Amino acid sequence: MRPVAPGAWLGLLGGGQLGRMFSMAAQSLGYRVLVLDPGSDGPTASVADDHLCADYLDTAALVEMGRRCAAVTTEFENVPAEALRRLGESCVVSPGHGGVAIAQDRIREKRFLVEAGLSTAPFAVIFTEFDLPTVDAALFPGILKLARLGYDGKGQISVASAANLPAAFTALGGRPCVLERRLPLELEVSVVVARGFDGGVTTFPVAENRHANGILDVSMVPARIPDALAAAARDAALRVAEALDYRGVLCVEFFVVEGGQLVANEIAPRPHNSGHYSIDACVSSQFEQQARVMCRQPLGDTGLLSAAVMVNLLGDLWAAGEPDWGHVFRHPRAKLHLYGKREARPGRKMGHFTVLADTADEALETAVLIKADLIAGTRPSA
Ligand code: ADP
Ligand code: MG
C-alpha cells in the first residue's frame, strides 16, 4: 500500500494529553487531525483540526471518521477495542484491535508475556471468590490488581497475607483480578517500540523511571543500567511487538529486580508518559513515530540528541494557584509542556518539563532544582 501523503486527515480516538502531543507532531508533518472525544474541552480538542464530540462506539461518528480519515490511531488505553475493529473495516488502523485488547486486560497481558518468553512477576488469576482459596502462599506479600481499567496505580491493593485476600478482592468489586508477588525492585525501566506496516522496527533508548504514589514522577535517559541490561530490555520489547504482530507505537514497562533480573510488568498500546523525553531529546519523537507508522512512511531515527530528564507536573502543584513557570523558563535547556487542562486536581497530569544536559545525572540535578522551586512557589531569581 502507498504511503499517506501530508495533507490527509488522520483520526484519533481519545482526547487527552497523549492525543494533544500526537496532534502537534502529526500537524507539524503537514497532516490534519480529526479527534473523537466524548468530552468537550479535553487537551486534544483545542489543538486538533476537527473534533467529533461523541461516544467511542457512536456509529455515526465512527462512520464519519472512517470516511474522512486515511488512517486512525488511539491515545486512550481503554478505548473500546471494538471501535478499532469497526474502523478497521474502512481504513488503516494502528494499532489494531488485537494488541489493544490484550494490553487492556491484565490476565491476557500476563499470559501473553509468558508465552512470548518474557519473565513476569509470579502471579495467579482470580476470576471469582472461588479462586481465592487456591492461591499459592508463595505469592504473598502481593499486589491485587484489577484485570481491567486500572491505571496510575488505581485499581490495586497491597495484600500482606492470604488472610487479607478476600477483603481486598471485595474492595475491588469482586471483579477479575491478577494477584502478583511484590518484588524487591532495584529500579523500573521502560522501552518505547515502533513497528511499521513494512516490518521496520525501532526502539527508543531505555528510560529509567521513578514513581510516586503509583504515578510516574521522573523519567531519565539514558537509564543508569549496564549496557547488556539495556540491550536485553530493548530486545524483549521488540519481541513483544513482534509476537503481537503490532503496527504502531507501544511501550513495555519492566522491573529490574534486586540482583539485576529483568521482569516485564505491563504493555501500553500507545505512546507512553515515560517516552515524553523523546519530544525534546530524540531525532524523532514517539508521537512523530506513531504518525509515520499510520501513514506508512519510513520510521524516523530514535537516537538521543542529549541526555534528558522528564518530570511530570501533577495537579497537586496547583494547590496555591498557578505555579510560576519562570522557574522553568530561566533554564535555557529546560522545556515546558502544559496540556491546557482547566482544572487542576491532585494526581491529575497537567504537564511535564524536560531538562537536557550532558549527562542524565546533571539533568536530574537541574530537574530536582526546578521542581523544588515550583513547589516552594517563590519568585524566580534572574
Ligand atoms: P499501572 O497500570 O497503574 O501503571 P502497574 O502494574 O504498572 O500499574 O503498577 C504501578 C506501579 O506499582 C509500578 O510501576 C511499580 O512501581 C509498582 N508495582 C506494581 N507491581 C509490582 C510488583 N509486582 N512488585 C513491586 N512493585 C510493583
Ligand atoms: Mg504501569
Side-chain angles (χ1 to χ4, degrees):
M1 240 191 267
R2 295 227 312 273
V4 175
W9 283 88
L10 305 183
L12 174 67
L13 299 176
Q17 64 268 15
L18 298 174
R20 179 182 177 95
M21 291 180 270
F22 167 80
S23 297
M24 289 170 162
Q27 287 165 332
S28 123
L29 297 173
Y31 295 99
R32 287 182 284 182
V33 177
L34 172 62
V35 64
L36 171 56
D37 176 13
S40 58
D41 65 347
T44 310
S46 60
V47 165
D49 297 270
D50 203 355
H51 175 200
L52 294 170
C53 189
D55 186 81
Y56 294 119
L57 288 171
D58 183 275
T59 300
L62 291 177
V63 167
E64 180 173 349
M65 180 167 270
R67 187 173 49 75
R68 287 173 62 185
C69 295
V72 173
T73 189
T74 167
E75 64 102 51
F76 173 50
E77 180 154 353
N78 289 315
V79 75
E82 169 65 10
L84 294 173
R85 195 194 58 73
R86 278 157 63 177
L87 283 162
E89 290 169 358
S90 60
C91 58
V92 172
V93 173
S94 153
H97 72 281
V100 172
I102 288 174
Q104 281 176 350
D105 181 336
R106 277 190 203 276
I107 298 171
R108 293 188 65 188
E109 180 181 56
K110 280 271 187 296
R111 290 177 170 163
F112 163 81
L113 287 169
V114 171
E115 267 168 39
L118 282 77
S119 307
T120 66
F123 69 95
V125 171
I126 300 171
F127 286 107
T128 71
E129 61 190 300
F130 299 108
D131 296 320
L132 296 172
T134 66
V135 168
D136 188 343
L139 294 180
F140 299 98
I143 305 175
L144 188 65
K145 302 180 177 181
L146 270 180
R148 302 186 70 86
L149 300 175
Y151 68 99
D152 286 346
K154 294 183 182 65
Q156 303 191 3
I157 299 182
S158 281
V159 187
S161 70
N164 302 328
L165 186 58
F169 184 66
T170 304
L172 289 179
R175 281 169 292 161
C177 286
V178 167
L179 176 74
E180 275 178 42
R181 190 162 82 214
R182 181 177 283 285
L183 300 176
L185 307 189
E186 200 167 289
L187 46 90
E188 298 187 52
V189 299
S190 57
V191 178
V192 174
V193 187
R195 187 164 180 271
F197 286 94
D198 58 358
V201 287
T202 57
T203 53
F204 282 85
V206 180
E208 174 182 337
N209 303 322
R210 289 194 201 159
H211 293 78
N213 305 315
I215 306 178
L216 183 68
D217 182 24
V218 173
S219 289
M220 306 179 60
V221 274
R224 296 165 301 176
I225 55 174
D227 288 349
L229 192 59
R234 289 173 94 147
D235 273 0
L238 275 182
R239 231 179 306 146
V240 167
E242 254 139 43
L244 284 173
D245 195 20
Y246 196 86
R247 315 290 169 163
V249 170
L250 67 74
C251 178
V252 184
E253 296 178 12
F254 298 93
F255 300 141
V256 180
V257 180
E258 279 170 15
Q261 194 206 350
L262 190 67
V263 168
N265 173 30
E266 59 173 355
I267 306 166
R270 50 171 171 74
H272 192 258
N273 195 166
S274 67
H276 290 355
Y277 73 83
S278 62
I279 297 174
D280 300 305
C282 290
V283 179
S284 319
S285 75
Q286 58 173 349
F287 300 103
E288 172 173 341
Q289 209 73 311
Q290 176 60 41
R292 283 171 175 259
V293 172
M294 293 168 74
C295 297
R296 299 171 185 269
Q297 302 288 1
L299 295 176
D301 188 287
T302 55
L304 264 191
L305 300 169
S306 162
V309 165
M310 186 240 35
V311 178
N312 266 341
L313 297 166
L314 301 185
D316 312 60
L317 208 54
W318 273 247
E322 185 82 13
D324 191 334
W325 301 118
H327 291 299
V328 189
F329 286 123
R330 78 189 175 96
H331 294 275
R333 301 192 77 192
K335 306 279 286 183
L336 181 63
H337 299 261
L338 292 172
Y339 306 148
K341 296 183 183 178
R342 296 221 187 103
E343 196 196 335
R345 290 189 297 270
R348 190 175 197 205
K349 290 176 181 168
M350 302 295 290
H352 71 268
F353 67 85
T354 302
V355 179
L356 307 183
D358 294 338
T359 65
D361 284 308
E362 237 177 88
L364 184 62
E365 225 170 273
T366 307
V368 166
L369 243 164
I370 293 174
K371 179 86 184 279
D373 282 343
L374 289 171
I375 290 171
T378 47
R379 294 211 62 75
S381 48

